[in-house]
Each structure stands twice: as C-alpha cells, then as structure tokens.
Amino acid sequence: MSRCKSCEAPAVIDVRRHNAAFCADCFLRHCREQTRRAIEQHSMIAAGERVLVAISGGKDSLALWDILLDLGYDADGVYLALGIGGYSTTSQRYAQDYADRKGAKLHVVDIPAEHGFGIPEAARATKRVPCSACGLSKRHLLNRAALDGGYDVVATGHNLDDEAAVLLGNVLQWQVDYLARQRPALPATDGFARRVKPLVRLAERETAAYCVLRRIDYIIEECPMAAGNRHLRHKETLNDLEERTPGAKATFYVQFLERMLPVLEGVATEERALVGTCSRCGSPSSAEVCAFCKMVERVV
Amino acid sequence: MSRCKSCEAPAVIDVRRHNAAFCADCFLRHCREQTRRAIEQHSMIAAGERVLVAISGGKDSLALWDILLDLGYDADGVYLALGIGGYSTTSQRYAQDYADRKGAKLHVVDIPAEHGFGIPEAARATKRVPCSACGLSKRHLLNRAALDGGYDVVATGHNLDDEAAVLLGNVLQWQVDYLARQRPALPATDGFARRVKPLVRLAERETAAYCVLRRIDYIIEECPMAAGNRHLRHKETLNDLEERTPGAKATFYVQFLERMLPVLEGVATEERALVGTCSRCGSPSSAEVCAFCKMVERVV
C-alpha cells in the first residue's frame, strides 16, 4: 500500500500528475493549498473582499464554497434555479442542505419565477444548444446577483478538467477571442464584477474526493441537457491523453496560461474596447442589446 | 452507389470533409487542384523557379512529385538514405523506380557514406528520440542539397494529417515558438532555401488513393523507428475527432493558419532575429554551433 507523501500514513488517494499519494487529512490540506495558491497566483480575492460563490449543487461548487469558508473568506452562495425539472429540484436541495449545515447564506435566483422561462424553453426558442443558453443566462444572472448584493467578486467551481476541455474546444476551432478571454481571473470592468475560478489547480477527481472525505453530499448526475455535448467529448479526449501521459492535461492548461496568454494580450485589449452597454438592462454588451435580453425577448 | 460530384460517373472514393465523392479522373483532378490552390494561396513556387522535392519513397512525397511534374513545375527529387536497414533499402528502390519511370532526376544523399553514421546511431549517441535526430538531419541536409544544387525551394510531402498532428503536439505543450514557425511556406532567409508543403490541403487517405489510382508504387510500412511515437498518437486522437465530426481536422489546421498565425507574427519576428550562422558549417543557427554539427560531433 502506498504512503502519504506528507506524513507517511497509509494513503487513501493518489494524484498521478503530482506523482503523489495522500492520507485523508493531507489530501484535504492539498486541496486547500492548491486553491490558496491559485487565488494568490492570479490575485483572485483581496483581503476583506466579499465573495459570491456560484453554487450548482455539484461537487465542484460545494467543494469551492467549503474551501473558501475554511480559508476564512467572507463567501456567500448563489443558486440559479434553471427550470430543468427534477434535476433542478434535486440540485437545489443539495445546495440548500450544505448552506443550512454551515449556517451560510445562500441566495436563490429562480429563473422561471423571475423571467417566465427555464433553460429548456430558452434553448428551444433561440435554437441554441441548451448549454449555450444556460451559460449565457448564468453569466448574466450571476453578475447581476453580484452587483445587486454588493459583492466584489464572483467565484465559480470550474476545475482543471473543465478549463482544459474548454481550452481544447477553443483551440480546435481557433476561437482566438475566446482564447484571449480564457483566464482564471477576469478583472472587474464597468458593469462586470471580477470573475474567478479558484479550483483551476484541482482535477475533477480531486474535487469529488474532497466532497466524499468532507462528507459533503452533492448531485452526482450530470445535467440531463448536457448529455453527449462537445464539452464532455473534449473531456474524454483529454482523459485519453492523460491516461497515456500523466500530467498532459495540466501541462496543456498551465502552459497556455504561461506561454500563450501573454501573446494574446493584444487581442484581449481589442476585445475589451468593443464592450459597451446594453440599451435594455445596462449590462456590458458588445451589441446594442445584450444576448440575454435578446433571448428573453425571443422566449417570452 | 454514389456518383462523382463533378461528372456524375460512378464514384470510387468519397472525401467526407468535403461531403463529396469522385470518380478516378475527377479525384486525380481534385488532388492536383488542391495542390495548385495551396501553392497559389501561400505563394509557394513562382513561375520558372527550380524545385527540389524531398522524396522518402512513401505515398506523400511520390504523389507530390507526380503532381508537381503534372502541373508543369521544374521539379527534381532528392532522397536521403538514412541508414535504417531494410527500410531504407526498400524505400530508396521505390524512389528510384519512380524517377526512372518518369525520366526525372533524383539526387541521393547517402548519410552513412557521407557522414559515417545512420539515424539509429545518431539517436543513440545524442540520446534523442530517433524521429528528432531524423528530423534535424533532414532539415539540415535537404537545405544543403537545395543550396548546393541551386534550387529556389524545397518541397516536402507533409499532408493535412501530418500538419494537424504536429499542430496538436505543439498546442498540447504550447510551444509558442514552434507554433509561430508552423507555416505551409517558410520564406527563404540567409542560408535557408524557401520550404513549402504543397499537400497541406490533402488528407493522408487522399495521397494514398492518388498513388493507387496513378499506379505509383510506394513503401507502405511506417518507418520502424517511428512506431508508437507521439506524432502517430496525435494522429489517432485527431482521427477520433474526425470520426465524430467530419471536417474537424481541416478546421483545426485551416483556422490556425487564418486566425492564429497572424497573432503569432510578433513571436516569429523575434525568433528570426535570433538566427545567426553556425561557426562550423555556415548554416543558419540560433546557437554558435548548429544542432546538426553538434550531433555529428557526438556520434562520430
């Protein structure tokens, strides 16, 4: 049996890309430490700032909230009810259970109640794939929740696997503007709260193990609308690569941050210069009416 | 049975990414036309220029030579004998047979005879993987052959699959300097003949079919030293993607050329500024002694 890298106790989990195994306590410390380092490295959250954590009820967002609270941050949660039938009901329950157990504050934005439609209707009406309609709604509504609640920063649970898969998708089509924007911390701009991804140094398998070891219950099923989407296929492709070359996934993502993002600085600056204000809702938008308001108009 | 896209005759081959099928004659025309367009689009060869085609005895290089001759270019071949046992003997025979049949000129550079070692020895002595020692030798010796023979341009048989796989390898590690250099046409610089890849618009499957239909015999086996290398694994990864999304491979490569290379222009300029001259052989080099001369020193 392998031994914990830090304390020599029997190990319960191995992290192949670090060529290391950990006992439960040291693994939890590893997760906190990787999160702390990501926050520090990318200047994600300054002392005294108020953080709004986007909570889906899944392993990543609940692990993130737990770690941020543990690290002493002033972190509230926000749950977006997306109107995806039983999946939404169940995931909201996990989010609320965690908040209740910790005595933490969870805001709920009920999209069907407040806007008159759920993600399935929005996708149908706009002929977007559901994940596109959903991502668009989340970006808009999380930002609105942060501004309305006076939060300095929105934190999301995107992990290394997520970011690497998004990166692969952007690279396969060379979406240069998306690449230039794919940062672990997007600074606040007029009308946008800062957006940060403190879990980018942790793999999916690690956030799942974190929740298990911390006895945090979370919704295990993938969203039914995401089944078979490109993002999941890109994850498979990267998992195959990782299987053959442990560390390949982290190299792909980390080297992108270190070597490529600086080259894309000019593209990012051009992009930001194009952002104006939505004439309907006042949110930042590069078109006269922002994509969310356009979607609302079409679906309602 | 499907019909030829161009003439409605029964089709013998389909090209899924173009959503098209072709009869034999129209397929050969398609291959010539794609090559002509690559040459034109990237200003690869000007009228009256002398072309040296790097011939390995495989499908790609023989198809390239055949198409260039057919398109009326003044194209001689050069075969590098790499000293890889029976593989080298056989591949040289295919190269020479084609040249004899066409009455075309084939230069032969015999590396073991001229330099005292073959690729297997070079790889062992320098602790490089064989494909690295080989690529390095080819770049150096092809360029030397072009300069010595007064050729304006070196043409190689790299096809779409090759270029996409190299691109994936460079992207997975974000080798930004390699990315900036990955062009279908590299302009001549001090000490370097122009280097062009006229087959970048044709997939591997198409160059193989071209040779079969033109009754060009070629060595079918992969080089025994390349078995299991990363390049072949990256090809598999891309083939999986292509299987699920026909056209994915071409999109990945073509969008790179269109959207990403312009962004990398600054990196390429910096790179070029670093190139000096090898103090031993006079070839362009960013170190005092070029990598080929260093290898020769170590191996002999």
Side-chain angles (χ1 to χ4, degrees):
Chain A
M1 181 188 240
S2 62
R3 294 267 154 189
C4 174
K5 175 195 177 185
S6 308
C7 77
E8 293 287 317
V12 297
I13 182 169
D14 68 313
V15 180
R16 276 181 81 198
R17 75 175 186 290
H18 289 310
N19 200 19
F22 296 99
C23 72
D25 281 351
C26 291
F27 175 73
L28 295 174
R29 204 171 302 124
H30 152 84
C31 292
R32 280 181 216 113
E33 176 57 17
Q34 292 298 323
T35 307
R36 194 196 61 70
R37 284 171 66 176
I39 292 172
E40 182 183 280
Q41 186 179 6
H42 302 288
S43 307
M44 289 181 176
I45 312 172
E49 287 189 326
R50 294 184 64 222
V51 185
L52 184 63
V53 188
I55 301 297
S56 71
K59 63 190 186 321
D60 301 308
S61 58
L62 290 175
L64 172 60
W65 200 4
D66 195 63
I67 292 171
L68 290 179
L69 291 173
D70 245 36
L71 291 174
Y73 287 103
D74 177 4
D76 296 342
V78 58
Y79 176 86
L80 304 187
L82 303 164
I84 308 179
Y87 177 78
S88 285
T89 328
T90 307
S91 58
Q92 182 168 358
R93 202 180 60 235
Y94 283 112
Q96 194 61 58
D97 283 354
Y98 177 83
D100 293 347
R101 189 179 125 192
K102 298 292 280 192
K105 181 171 185 62
L106 180 70
H107 303 272
V108 174
V109 177
D110 188 327
I111 305 183
E114 294 181 22
H115 295 278
F117 62 88
I119 296 303
E121 294 75 51
R124 265 199 302 278
T126 56
K127 294 184 182 133
R128 283 173 179 264
V129 292
C131 299
S132 157
C134 187
L136 157 60
S137 304
K138 281 177 177 168
R139 267 192 305 279
H140 182 90
L141 296 170
L142 289 175
N143 187 55
R144 174 102 353 252
L147 298 181
D148 290 351
Y151 293 92
D152 302 290
V153 49
V154 174
T156 57
H158 296 91
N159 59 39
L160 175 59
D161 294 69
D162 292 322
E163 290 302 289
V166 168
L167 181 58
L168 182 61
N170 289 338
V171 157
L172 286 175
Q173 308 203 32
W174 292 100
Q175 306 262 32
V176 175
D177 46 344
Y178 291 0
L179 286 172
R181 233 183 287 156
Q182 202 190 334
R183 291 161 190 273
L186 282 169
T189 50
D190 270 0
F192 270 126
R194 191 183 323 129
R195 285 171 292 171
V196 303
K197 300 168 182 170
L199 298 188
V200 290
R201 298 175 65 102
L202 290 174
E204 197 150 283
R205 207 173 137 265
E206 289 158 79
T207 60
Y210 179 91
C211 286
V212 171
L213 292 172
R214 290 281 283 172
R215 297 182 210 284
I216 296 170
D217 290 327
Y218 61 88
I219 186 159
I220 292 174
E221 302 90 74
E222 288 283 350
C223 171
M225 312 216 70
N229 77 1
R230 279 191 190 203
H231 184 66
L232 293 178
R233 291 211 312 262
H234 294 331
K235 280 191 174 177
E236 282 169 29
T237 299
L238 289 168
N239 285 342
D240 290 347
L241 283 168
E242 181 77 16
E243 185 63 37
R244 291 188 296 221
T245 314
K249 207 185 285 178
T251 298
F252 176 51
Y253 179 63
V254 172
Q255 296 297 350
F256 169 74
L257 300 185
E258 289 189 5
R259 299 186 180 172
M260 195 64 220
L261 268 184
V263 178
L264 291 166
E265 196 47 63
V267 178
T269 310
E270 278 173 37
E271 276 275 299
R272 280 193 292 267
L274 294 175
V275 175
T277 302
C278 171
S279 61
R280 304 243 171 108
C281 71
S283 293
S285 167
S286 46
E288 203 228 316
V289 176
C290 77
F292 184 78
C293 286
K294 272 187 208 148
M295 188 170 79
V296 170
E297 183 180 63
R298 236 170 263 161
V299 71
V300 179
Chain B
M1 181 189 239
S2 62
R3 294 268 157 189
C4 174
K5 175 194 176 188
S6 309
C7 76
E8 294 284 319
V12 297
I13 182 170
D14 68 313
V15 180
R16 276 181 81 198
R17 75 175 185 289
H18 289 310
N19 202 17
F22 295 98
C23 72
D25 281 351
C26 291
F27 175 73
L28 295 175
R29 204 171 301 124
H30 153 82
C31 291
R32 280 182 217 113
E33 176 59 16
Q34 292 298 323
T35 307
R36 195 196 61 70
R37 283 170 68 176
I39 292 173
E40 180 182 281
Q41 187 179 3
H42 302 289
S43 308
M44 289 181 176
I45 313 172
E49 286 190 325
R50 294 185 64 222
V51 184
L52 184 64
V53 188
I55 302 296
S56 69
K59 63 191 186 322
D60 301 307
S61 57
L62 290 175
L64 172 60
W65 200 2
D66 195 64
I67 292 172
L68 289 180
L69 290 173
D70 245 37
L71 291 174
Y73 286 103
D74 177 3
D76 296 341
V78 57
Y79 176 85
L80 303 188
L82 304 163
I84 308 179
Y87 176 78
S88 283
T89 327
T90 309
S91 58
Q92 183 169 356
R93 202 180 59 236
Y94 284 112
Q96 194 61 58
D97 283 354
Y98 177 83
D100 293 346
R101 189 179 126 193
K102 298 292 280 193
K105 180 170 185 63
L106 181 70
H107 303 272
V108 174
V109 177
D110 188 328
I111 305 183
E114 294 181 22
H115 295 277
F117 64 87
I119 296 303
E121 294 76 51
R124 265 199 302 277
T126 56
K127 293 183 182 133
R128 284 173 178 262
V129 292
C131 299
S132 157
C134 188
L136 156 59
S137 305
K138 281 178 177 167
R139 267 191 307 280
H140 182 89
L141 295 170
L142 289 175
N143 188 55
R144 175 100 355 250
L147 297 181
D148 290 351
Y151 293 93
D152 303 290
V153 50
V154 174
T156 57
H158 295 92
N159 59 40
L160 174 60
D161 294 69
D162 292 321
E163 291 302 290
V166 168
L167 181 58
L168 182 60
N170 289 338
V171 157
L172 286 174
Q173 307 203 33
W174 292 99
Q175 306 264 32
V176 174
D177 46 345
Y178 291 1
L179 285 172
R181 236 183 285 156
Q182 202 189 337
R183 292 163 189 273
L186 282 169
T189 51
D190 271 358
F192 270 127
R194 191 184 321 130
R195 284 170 293 170
V196 303
K197 300 169 183 170
L199 298 189
V200 291
R201 298 175 65 103
L202 290 174
E204 198 150 283
R205 209 174 136 263
E206 288 158 79
T207 61
Y210 179 91
C211 286
V212 170
L213 293 172
R214 288 281 283 172
R215 297 182 209 287
I216 296 170
D217 290 328
Y218 62 87
I219 187 159
I220 291 173
E221 303 90 74
E222 287 283 351
C223 172
M225 311 216 70
N229 76 1
R230 280 192 190 202
H231 184 67
L232 293 177
R233 291 212 310 264
H234 294 331
K235 280 192 175 177
E236 282 168 30
T237 300
L238 290 168
N239 285 342
D240 291 347
L241 283 168
E242 181 77 17
E243 186 61 37
R244 292 187 296 222
T245 315
K249 205 184 291 179
T251 298
F252 176 51
Y253 179 63
V254 172
Q255 296 297 349
F256 169 73
L257 300 185
E258 289 189 6
R259 298 185 181 173
M260 195 63 218
L261 269 185
V263 178
L264 291 166
E265 195 49 64
V267 178
T269 309
E270 278 173 37
E271 276 274 299
R272 278 193 293 267
L274 294 175
V275 175
T277 303
C278 171
S279 61
R280 304 244 170 108
C281 72
S283 293
S285 167
S286 45
E288 203 229 316
V289 176
C290 78
F292 183 77
C293 286
K294 272 188 208 147
M295 189 170 77
V296 170
E297 182 179 62
R298 235 170 265 163
V299 73
V300 179

mmCIF file of all heavy atoms in Angstrom, chain A residues 12 17 24 47 58 69 86 101 107 112 139 185 188 192 202 204 227 229 234 250 263:
data_model
loop_
_atom_site.group_PDB
_atom_site.id
_atom_site.type_symbol
_atom_site.label_atom_id
_atom_site.label_comp_id
_atom_site.label_asym_id
_atom_site.label_seq_id
_atom_site.Cartn_x
_atom_site.Cartn_y
_atom_site.Cartn_z
ATOM 1 N N VAL A 12 -4.932 7.255 0.992
ATOM 2 C CA VAL A 12 -6.272 6.885 0.521
ATOM 3 C C VAL A 12 -6.520 7.344 -0.917
ATOM 4 O O VAL A 12 -7.476 6.915 -1.547
ATOM 5 C CB VAL A 12 -7.393 7.459 1.423
ATOM 6 C CG1 VAL A 12 -7.295 6.885 2.826
ATOM 7 C CG2 VAL A 12 -7.371 8.978 1.451
ATOM 8 N N ARG A 17 -0.632 13.043 -11.549
ATOM 9 C CA ARG A 17 0.136 14.098 -12.216
ATOM 10 C C ARG A 17 1.144 14.749 -11.267
ATOM 11 O O ARG A 17 2.122 15.343 -11.707
ATOM 12 C CB ARG A 17 -0.786 15.148 -12.852
ATOM 13 C CG ARG A 17 -1.430 16.097 -11.886
ATOM 14 C CD ARG A 17 -2.222 17.187 -12.607
ATOM 15 N NE ARG A 17 -2.714 18.159 -11.634
ATOM 16 C CZ ARG A 17 -3.668 17.890 -10.747
ATOM 17 N NH1 ARG A 17 -4.247 16.722 -10.708
ATOM 18 N NH2 ARG A 17 -4.054 18.834 -9.890
ATOM 19 N N ALA A 24 -6.157 11.036 4.135
ATOM 20 C CA ALA A 24 -7.326 11.913 4.037
ATOM 21 C C ALA A 24 -7.005 13.346 4.478
ATOM 22 O O ALA A 24 -7.302 14.313 3.764
ATOM 23 C CB ALA A 24 -8.474 11.340 4.872
ATOM 24 N N ALA A 47 -7.856 40.729 0.571
ATOM 25 C CA ALA A 47 -8.313 40.662 1.967
ATOM 26 C C ALA A 47 -9.542 41.547 2.145
ATOM 27 O O ALA A 47 -9.605 42.666 1.636
ATOM 28 C CB ALA A 47 -7.191 41.115 2.896
ATOM 29 N N GLY A 58 -23.434 20.689 -7.302
ATOM 30 C CA GLY A 58 -22.479 19.646 -7.695
ATOM 31 C C GLY A 58 -21.226 19.700 -6.837
ATOM 32 O O GLY A 58 -21.070 20.576 -5.987
ATOM 33 N N LEU A 69 -14.689 29.045 2.686
ATOM 34 C CA LEU A 69 -15.085 29.302 4.081
ATOM 35 C C LEU A 69 -13.967 28.877 5.033
ATOM 36 O O LEU A 69 -13.614 29.598 5.965
ATOM 37 C CB LEU A 69 -16.399 28.564 4.414
ATOM 38 C CG LEU A 69 -17.652 29.098 3.714
ATOM 39 C CD1 LEU A 69 -18.859 28.183 3.970
ATOM 40 C CD2 LEU A 69 -17.975 30.541 4.162
ATOM 41 N N GLY A 86 -36.696 17.719 -12.433
ATOM 42 C CA GLY A 86 -36.205 17.078 -11.216
ATOM 43 C C GLY A 86 -34.739 17.357 -10.956
ATOM 44 O O GLY A 86 -34.309 17.403 -9.804
ATOM 45 N N ARG A 101 -26.393 23.472 6.839
ATOM 46 C CA ARG A 101 -25.460 22.781 7.729
ATOM 47 C C ARG A 101 -24.358 23.723 8.200
ATOM 48 O O ARG A 101 -23.905 23.663 9.337
ATOM 49 C CB ARG A 101 -24.862 21.610 6.947
ATOM 50 C CG ARG A 101 -24.035 20.658 7.757
ATOM 51 C CD ARG A 101 -23.531 19.535 6.859
ATOM 52 N NE ARG A 101 -22.092 19.419 6.925
ATOM 53 C CZ ARG A 101 -21.341 18.703 6.097
ATOM 54 N NH1 ARG A 101 -21.904 18.048 5.087
ATOM 55 N NH2 ARG A 101 -20.038 18.645 6.245
ATOM 56 N N HIS A 107 -28.226 32.768 -1.590
ATOM 57 C CA HIS A 107 -29.242 33.461 -2.393
ATOM 58 C C HIS A 107 -29.806 32.492 -3.428
ATOM 59 O O HIS A 107 -29.081 31.621 -3.898
ATOM 60 C CB HIS A 107 -28.625 34.629 -3.175
ATOM 61 C CG HIS A 107 -27.920 35.641 -2.326
ATOM 62 N ND1 HIS A 107 -28.561 36.710 -1.757
ATOM 63 C CD2 HIS A 107 -26.616 35.739 -1.959
ATOM 64 C CE1 HIS A 107 -27.681 37.440 -1.077
ATOM 65 N NE2 HIS A 107 -26.479 36.864 -1.184
ATOM 66 N N PRO A 112 -37.315 30.654 -13.789
ATOM 67 C CA PRO A 112 -38.698 30.565 -14.277
ATOM 68 C C PRO A 112 -39.625 31.554 -13.566
ATOM 69 O O PRO A 112 -40.457 32.197 -14.203
ATOM 70 C CB PRO A 112 -39.084 29.112 -13.955
ATOM 71 C CG PRO A 112 -37.790 28.366 -13.941
ATOM 72 C CD PRO A 112 -36.789 29.335 -13.373
ATOM 73 N N ARG A 139 -23.948 33.574 -16.838
ATOM 74 C CA ARG A 139 -23.029 34.722 -16.828
ATOM 75 C C ARG A 139 -23.777 35.998 -16.466
ATOM 76 O O ARG A 139 -23.355 36.776 -15.614
ATOM 77 C CB ARG A 139 -22.371 34.898 -18.202
ATOM 78 C CG ARG A 139 -21.038 34.206 -18.354
ATOM 79 C CD ARG A 139 -20.307 34.645 -19.604
ATOM 80 N NE ARG A 139 -21.100 34.484 -20.827
ATOM 81 C CZ ARG A 139 -21.241 33.324 -21.469
ATOM 82 N NH1 ARG A 139 -20.661 32.237 -21.026
ATOM 83 N NH2 ARG A 139 -21.981 33.250 -22.561
ATOM 84 N N ALA A 185 -8.785 34.457 -13.799
ATOM 85 C CA ALA A 185 -9.360 35.632 -13.135
ATOM 86 C C ALA A 185 -9.601 36.703 -14.188
ATOM 87 O O ALA A 185 -8.671 37.128 -14.865
ATOM 88 C CB ALA A 185 -8.412 36.158 -12.064
ATOM 89 N N ALA A 188 -12.535 43.018 -12.889
ATOM 90 C CA ALA A 188 -13.780 43.772 -12.947
ATOM 91 C C ALA A 188 -13.648 44.846 -14.013
ATOM 92 O O ALA A 188 -12.576 45.412 -14.212
ATOM 93 C CB ALA A 188 -14.050 44.418 -11.588
ATOM 94 N N PHE A 192 -19.178 44.803 -14.792
ATOM 95 C CA PHE A 192 -18.855 43.398 -14.509
ATOM 96 C C PHE A 192 -18.108 43.285 -13.186
ATOM 97 O O PHE A 192 -17.078 43.950 -12.996
ATOM 98 C CB PHE A 192 -17.937 42.808 -15.587
ATOM 99 C CG PHE A 192 -18.653 42.176 -16.741
ATOM 100 C CD1 PHE A 192 -18.366 42.562 -18.051
ATOM 101 C CD2 PHE A 192 -19.597 41.176 -16.534
ATOM 102 C CE1 PHE A 192 -19.021 41.972 -19.122
ATOM 103 C CE2 PHE A 192 -20.247 40.572 -17.609
ATOM 104 C CZ PHE A 192 -19.969 40.982 -18.898
ATOM 105 N N LEU A 202 -7.056 22.059 -9.427
ATOM 106 C CA LEU A 202 -7.544 20.761 -8.955
ATOM 107 C C LEU A 202 -8.316 20.042 -10.057
ATOM 108 O O LEU A 202 -9.135 20.658 -10.748
ATOM 109 C CB LEU A 202 -8.472 20.951 -7.746
ATOM 110 C CG LEU A 202 -7.797 21.405 -6.444
ATOM 111 C CD1 LEU A 202 -8.865 21.695 -5.390
ATOM 112 C CD2 LEU A 202 -6.836 20.330 -5.922
ATOM 113 N N GLU A 204 -11.044 17.204 -11.545
ATOM 114 C CA GLU A 204 -12.398 16.773 -11.224
ATOM 115 C C GLU A 204 -12.412 15.660 -10.169
ATOM 116 O O GLU A 204 -13.214 15.668 -9.237
ATOM 117 C CB GLU A 204 -12.973 16.203 -12.531
ATOM 118 C CG GLU A 204 -14.425 16.073 -12.567
ATOM 119 C CD GLU A 204 -14.911 16.227 -14.001
ATOM 120 O OE1 GLU A 204 -14.959 17.377 -14.482
ATOM 121 O OE2 GLU A 204 -15.228 15.208 -14.609
ATOM 122 N N ALA A 227 -25.960 15.912 -21.776
ATOM 123 C CA ALA A 227 -25.540 14.576 -22.230
ATOM 124 C C ALA A 227 -25.011 14.631 -23.672
ATOM 125 O O ALA A 227 -25.670 15.149 -24.569
ATOM 126 C CB ALA A 227 -26.701 13.599 -22.132
ATOM 127 N N ASN A 229 -22.699 16.364 -25.012
ATOM 128 C CA ASN A 229 -22.268 17.633 -25.608
ATOM 129 C C ASN A 229 -20.765 17.641 -25.881
ATOM 130 O O ASN A 229 -20.038 16.749 -25.466
ATOM 131 C CB ASN A 229 -22.717 18.837 -24.755
ATOM 132 C CG ASN A 229 -21.854 19.034 -23.502
ATOM 133 O OD1 ASN A 229 -20.900 18.303 -23.252
ATOM 134 N ND2 ASN A 229 -22.194 20.030 -22.729
ATOM 135 N N HIS A 234 -14.764 16.510 -25.284
ATOM 136 C CA HIS A 234 -13.400 17.035 -25.159
ATOM 137 C C HIS A 234 -12.756 16.529 -23.867
ATOM 138 O O HIS A 234 -11.562 16.266 -23.828
ATOM 139 C CB HIS A 234 -13.403 18.564 -25.186
ATOM 140 C CG HIS A 234 -13.835 19.118 -26.511
ATOM 141 N ND1 HIS A 234 -13.630 18.446 -27.688
ATOM 142 C CD2 HIS A 234 -14.445 20.280 -26.847
ATOM 143 C CE1 HIS A 234 -14.113 19.174 -28.690
ATOM 144 N NE2 HIS A 234 -14.607 20.278 -28.206
ATOM 145 N N ALA A 250 -2.724 18.974 -17.290
ATOM 146 C CA ALA A 250 -2.249 20.150 -16.548
ATOM 147 C C ALA A 250 -1.237 20.922 -17.385
ATOM 148 O O ALA A 250 -1.261 22.162 -17.409
ATOM 149 C CB ALA A 250 -1.640 19.732 -15.216
ATOM 150 N N VAL A 263 0.846 36.328 -25.213
ATOM 151 C CA VAL A 263 0.841 36.642 -26.646
ATOM 152 C C VAL A 263 -0.527 37.178 -27.073
ATOM 153 O O VAL A 263 -0.635 37.962 -28.019
ATOM 154 C CB VAL A 263 1.213 35.379 -27.479
ATOM 155 C CG1 VAL A 263 1.166 35.671 -28.967
ATOM 156 C CG2 VAL A 263 2.583 34.851 -27.075
#
